Amino acid sequence: MMILAVLNVDKEKLTETGHSFEDEMGWLAQSGITLNCYAEADRCDLYEYAAFAWDTEKKEYVQIGRAVTTIQLCQNRLQELIDKRLLASCIDSGNIVFKKRLVSEYYSNWEVFG
């Protein structure tokens, strides 16, 4: 069985133990939990932004356009859609929210197939 886990590591507390992250993960290996690889989150994560507008037919917020890497680009693209009147008639352009999400990428080892 493979389980992808996200860990929060308190570096100060870890330093107090006198052990490294790898040392601590070694203790898990004794229970059959093996650390294959890891990367610090600030090196492999990014935020993306998207505009959501109220859909009067569905009675929910729906994403407008695709997600982008900056809030400014997200706002500019939405404004362009509004200015060019490209939104469907069921979209309330006065009821917009901007959302941000963290996107993490996970890479595993290459497997041979075929």
Side-chain angles (χ1 to χ4, degrees):
M1 166 176 44
M2 180 178 215
I3 297 174
L4 176 62
V6 177
L7 306 172
N8 287 320
V9 178
D10 184 333
K11 288 185 178 183
E12 289 179 22
K13 210 177 252 190
L14 187 60
T15 302
E16 290 172 9
T17 68
H19 299 115
S20 68
F21 176 72
E22 293 84 356
D23 292 337
E24 294 298 322
M25 293 306 293
W27 291 102
L28 288 174
Q30 294 176 4
S31 301
I33 300 171
T34 306
L35 174 67
N36 291 331
C37 64
Y38 72 93
E40 290 186 38
D42 59 347
R43 295 184 187 163
C44 64
D45 296 335
L46 60 96
Y47 286 102
E48 65 180 18
Y49 303 85
F52 289 77
W54 185 255
D55 185 320
T56 57
E57 291 175 0
K58 294 181 179 178
K59 304 291 187 214
E60 65 182 17
Y61 282 96
V62 295
Q63 185 173 336
I64 304 299
R66 64 180 179 83
V68 294
T69 56
T70 67
I71 187 66
Q72 187 64 55
L73 181 57
C74 183
Q75 292 168 338
N76 291 349
R77 287 192 172 173
L78 173 66
Q79 191 59 52
E80 185 178 348
L81 291 173
I82 293 171
D83 292 347
K84 292 183 177 181
R85 303 182 199 280
L86 296 175
L87 297 177
S89 61
C90 60
I91 299 299
D92 180 358
S93 63
N95 194 353
I96 304 288
V97 293
F98 295 94
K99 295 184 181 183
K100 169 176 88 169
R101 69 178 173 185
L102 180 65
V103 177
S104 300
E105 295 181 9
Y106 173 76
Y107 297 94
S108 66
N109 294 331
W110 286 104
E111 295 180 19
V112 177
F113 68 94

Coordinates of all heavy atoms in Angstrom, one line a residue, residues 51-56 59-64 78 82 87 90-99:
A51 N -10.9 33.3 -10.2 CA -12.1 34.1 -9.9 C -13.3 33.2 -9.9 O -13.4 32.3 -10.8 CB -12.2 35.2 -10.9
F52 N -14.2 33.4 -9.0 CA -15.4 32.7 -9.0 C -16.6 33.7 -8.9 O -16.5 34.7 -8.2 CB -15.5 31.8 -7.7 CG -14.5 30.6 -7.8 CD1 -13.2 30.8 -7.5 CD2 -15.0 29.4 -8.1 CE1 -12.3 29.7 -7.6 CE2 -14.2 28.3 -8.1 CZ -12.8 28.5 -7.9
A53 N -17.6 33.4 -9.7 CA -18.8 34.3 -9.8 C -20.0 33.5 -9.5 O -20.1 32.3 -9.7 CB -18.9 34.9 -11.2
W54 N -21.0 34.2 -9.0 CA -22.3 33.6 -8.6 C -23.0 33.2 -9.9 O -23.3 34.1 -10.7 CB -23.1 34.5 -7.7 CG -24.3 33.8 -7.2 CD1 -25.6 34.0 -7.7 CD2 -24.4 32.8 -6.2 NE1 -26.5 33.2 -7.0 CE2 -25.8 32.4 -6.1 CE3 -23.5 32.1 -5.5 CZ2 -26.2 31.5 -5.2 CZ3 -23.9 31.2 -4.6 CH2 -25.3 30.8 -4.5
D55 N -23.4 32.0 -10.0 CA -24.2 31.5 -11.1 C -25.7 31.5 -10.7 O -26.0 30.7 -9.7 CB -23.7 30.1 -11.6 CG -24.5 29.6 -12.8 OD1 -25.7 29.8 -12.9 OD2 -23.8 28.9 -13.6
T56 N -26.5 32.3 -11.2 CA -27.9 32.4 -10.8 C -28.7 31.2 -11.1 O -29.8 31.0 -10.5 CB -28.5 33.7 -11.4 OG1 -28.5 33.6 -12.8 CG2 -27.8 35.0 -10.9
K59 N -27.1 28.4 -8.6 CA -27.1 28.8 -7.2 C -25.9 28.5 -6.5 O -25.9 28.0 -5.4 CB -28.4 28.3 -6.5 CG -29.7 28.6 -7.2 CD -30.0 30.1 -7.1 CE -31.4 30.3 -7.6 NZ -31.6 31.5 -8.3
E60 N -24.7 28.7 -7.2 CA -23.4 28.4 -6.5 C -22.4 29.2 -7.3 O -22.6 29.7 -8.4 CB -23.1 26.9 -6.6 CG -22.9 26.4 -8.0 CD -22.6 24.9 -8.1 OE1 -22.8 24.2 -7.1 OE2 -22.1 24.5 -9.1
Y61 N -21.2 29.4 -6.6 CA -20.1 30.0 -7.2 C -19.4 29.1 -8.2 O -19.2 27.9 -7.9 CB -19.1 30.5 -6.2 CG -19.5 31.7 -5.5 CD1 -20.1 31.7 -4.2 CD2 -19.3 33.0 -6.0 CE1 -20.5 32.8 -3.6 CE2 -19.6 34.2 -5.4 CZ -20.2 34.1 -4.1 OH -20.6 35.2 -3.5
V62 N -19.1 29.6 -9.4 CA -18.5 28.8 -10.5 C -17.2 29.5 -10.9 O -17.1 30.7 -10.8 CB -19.4 28.6 -11.7 CG1 -20.6 27.7 -11.3 CG2 -19.8 29.9 -12.3
Q63 N -16.2 28.7 -11.2 CA -14.9 29.3 -11.6 C -15.0 30.0 -13.0 O -15.6 29.4 -13.9 CB -13.8 28.2 -11.7 CG -12.4 28.8 -11.9 CD -11.4 27.7 -11.8 OE1 -11.5 26.7 -11.1 NE2 -10.3 27.9 -12.5
I64 N -14.5 31.2 -13.1 CA -14.5 31.9 -14.3 C -13.0 31.9 -14.9 O -12.1 32.4 -14.2 CB -14.9 33.4 -14.1 CG1 -16.2 33.5 -13.4 CG2 -14.8 34.2 -15.4 CD1 -17.4 32.9 -14.2
L78 N -10.3 38.6 -15.4 CA -11.7 38.7 -15.1 C -12.2 40.0 -15.7 O -13.3 40.1 -16.3 CB -12.0 38.6 -13.6 CG -13.4 38.9 -13.3 CD1 -14.3 37.8 -13.8 CD2 -13.6 39.0 -11.8
I82 N -15.3 40.7 -18.4 CA -16.4 41.6 -18.1 C -16.5 42.7 -19.2 O -17.6 43.0 -19.7 CB -16.4 42.2 -16.7 CG1 -16.5 41.1 -15.6 CG2 -17.4 43.3 -16.5 CD1 -16.2 41.5 -14.2
L87 N -19.1 36.9 -20.4 CA -19.7 36.1 -19.4 C -21.1 35.7 -19.8 O -21.8 36.5 -20.3 CB -19.7 36.8 -18.0 CG -18.3 37.2 -17.4 CD1 -18.5 37.9 -16.1 CD2 -17.5 35.9 -17.2
C90 N -26.2 34.1 -17.1 CA -26.5 33.6 -15.7 C -25.4 33.9 -14.7 O -25.6 33.7 -13.5 CB -26.7 32.1 -15.7 SG -25.3 31.1 -16.3
I91 N -24.4 34.5 -15.1 CA -23.3 34.9 -14.2 C -23.5 36.3 -13.7 O -23.6 37.3 -14.5 CB -21.9 34.8 -14.9 CG1 -21.6 33.4 -15.4 CG2 -20.8 35.3 -14.0 CD1 -21.6 32.3 -14.3
D92 N -23.5 36.5 -12.4 CA -23.6 37.8 -11.7 C -22.2 38.4 -11.6 O -21.5 38.1 -10.7 CB -24.3 37.6 -10.4 CG -24.5 38.9 -9.6 OD1 -24.1 39.9 -10.1 OD2 -25.0 38.8 -8.5
S93 N -21.9 39.3 -12.5 CA -20.6 39.9 -12.5 C -20.4 40.9 -11.3 O -19.2 41.3 -11.0 CB -20.3 40.6 -13.8 OG -21.2 41.7 -13.9
G94 N -21.4 41.1 -10.5 CA -21.3 42.0 -9.3 C -21.0 41.1 -8.1 O -20.9 41.7 -7.0
N95 N -21.0 39.8 -8.2 CA -20.9 38.9 -7.1 C -19.7 38.0 -7.4 O -19.8 36.8 -7.7 CB -22.1 38.1 -6.8 CG -22.2 37.5 -5.5 OD1 -21.2 37.5 -4.8 ND2 -23.3 36.9 -5.2
I96 N -18.5 38.6 -7.2 CA -17.2 37.8 -7.5 C -16.4 37.6 -6.3 O -16.3 38.5 -5.4 CB -16.4 38.7 -8.5 CG1 -17.2 39.0 -9.8 CG2 -15.1 38.0 -8.8 CD1 -17.4 37.9 -10.7
V97 N -15.8 36.5 -6.2 CA -14.8 36.2 -5.1 C -13.6 35.6 -5.8 O -13.7 35.0 -6.8 CB -15.4 35.2 -4.0 CG1 -16.5 35.8 -3.2 CG2 -15.8 33.9 -4.6
F98 N -12.5 36.0 -5.1 CA -11.2 35.4 -5.6 C -10.7 34.4 -4.6 O -10.8 34.6 -3.4 CB -10.1 36.6 -5.8 CG -10.5 37.5 -6.9 CD1 -11.2 38.7 -6.6 CD2 -10.2 37.3 -8.2 CE1 -11.6 39.6 -7.6 CE2 -10.6 38.1 -9.2 CZ -11.3 39.3 -8.9
K99 N -10.2 33.3 -5.1 CA -9.8 32.2 -4.2 C -8.3 31.9 -4.6 O -7.9 32.0 -5.7 CB -10.6 31.0 -4.4 CG -12.1 31.2 -3.9 CD -12.9 29.9 -4.0 CE -14.3 30.1 -3.6 NZ -15.1 28.9 -3.6

